[in-house]
Amino acid sequence: MARVAIVTGGSRGIGEAISVALRDAGMTVAANYAGNDERAREFTERTGIKTYQWDVSDYDACLAGVAEVESELGPVDVVVNNAGITRDGTMKRMERQAWDDVIDINLGGCFNMAKAVWNGMNERKYGRIVNIGSINGQAGQYGQVNYAAAKSGIHGFTKALAQEGARAGITVNAIAPGYIDTDMVAAVPPDVLEKIVAKIPVGRLGQASEIARGVTFLCAEEGGFITGSTLSINGGQHMY
């Protein structure tokens, strides 16, 4: 029976690439999304992957969402915590709400989703959790104290939870992408983007499919000896 995987933020950008890659690896994938119903419908029509709507920052919504997926598809053995937002601004200009929103979704969502599947994974003695961090959580970034803090927190969360899950056959790892050619990066002004690319040793932006291959590797049945690790996929921009 195919493993069931949930990918949060799984219907667009890096999340879409991860959902498709896990599907192609033989898993039954549920793609979570926040609120863009039109995009979710288009994604399902194009990929055949079913979408489920809930807010990952809402603890009870995560419990209900996982329960719905399990009732329809079966026990969840794989979770990819990809959902994330940015609310950039310098400390001088950043409002408390921008801090709370980013921490609650980017970091709180990891806790909520892990909590929702943890008991089941322990009972079945198997699980794969992959959390999507960021190069900016490793190196910091001007105007992103909220985002960098959340992503840095993901790396600590990953190491701690990995220790709790190891004896139960649950691996917990992270991937720290660099600058990837997605809609979010496309919104960066061209002159700024040019400066970013100039700092990447391989001389280009990454592709979402490259992140997805890393996730698939960490989620594989054969990946049981890899846990508590962070895989940096950033073109050599930050060697951590």
Side-chain angles (χ1 to χ4, degrees):
M1 186 175 178
R3 299 284 187 189
V4 176
I6 294 177
V7 181
T8 67
S11 65
R12 59 189 302 174
I14 291 174
E16 175 179 343
I18 293 169
S19 294
V20 170
L22 294 182
R23 179 204 64 186
D24 292 347
M27 297 185 192
T28 300
V29 178
N32 154 268
Y33 72 101
N36 192 331
D37 294 329
E38 183 178 348
R39 178 63 180 259
R41 282 193 297 270
E42 184 275 330
F43 168 82
T44 297
E45 290 171 0
R46 179 163 43 81
T47 65
I49 297 171
K50 190 166 183 180
T51 55
Y52 296 80
Q53 191 276 327
W54 71 81
D55 176 1
V56 298
S57 71
D58 184 328
Y59 177 74
D60 290 332
C62 288
L63 296 182
V66 169
E68 181 183 3
V69 171
E70 292 195 325
S71 70
E72 295 184 6
L73 304 180
V76 174
D77 286 324
V78 176
V79 169
V80 181
N81 286 310
N82 168 75
I85 63 169
T86 56
R87 297 287 186 270
D88 295 349
T90 61
M91 179 62 76
K92 182 176 181 179
R93 298 179 180 278
M94 185 175 291
E95 299 293 335
R96 178 63 197 228
Q97 193 62 51
W99 170 271
D100 289 344
D101 289 346
V102 170
I103 296 295
D104 288 349
I105 292 174
N106 296 18
L107 182 56
C110 291
F111 172 84
N112 294 341
M113 289 300 299
K115 183 70 173 178
V117 300
W118 196 249
N119 288 346
M121 288 181 174
N122 272 273
E123 290 168 4
R124 296 187 298 276
K125 302 300 179 186
Y126 183 90
R128 298 284 185 266
I129 296 175
V130 178
N131 305 309
I132 305 300
S134 170
I135 186 175
N136 292 345
Q138 297 172 317
Q141 180 60 267
Y142 182 92
Q144 284 196 326
V145 293
N146 50 4
Y147 185 82
K151 292 298 188 179
S152 180
I154 283 173
H155 299 309
F157 173 85
T158 296
K159 293 174 184 179
L161 191 60
Q163 295 178 51
E164 295 186 29
R167 294 284 184 177
I170 305 168
T171 67
V172 187
N173 293 289
I175 286 183
Y179 286 88
I180 307 301
D181 191 10
T182 61
D183 291 344
M184 184 183 296
V185 172
V188 174
D191 59 324
V192 176
L193 188 58
E194 184 178 346
K195 292 176 182 177
I196 290 172
V197 173
K199 294 179 181 179
I200 303 174
V202 302
R204 64 173 176 85
L205 296 174
Q207 299 297 314
S209 61
E210 294 175 303
I211 307 304
R213 282 194 291 274
V215 173
T216 303
F217 168 71
L218 293 173
C219 290
E221 299 276 343
E222 300 83 1
F225 203 59
I226 307 169
T227 196
S229 295
T230 295
L231 175 59
S232 296
I233 305 178
N234 60 36
Q237 186 175 1
H238 181 67
M239 299 181 186
Y240 179 72

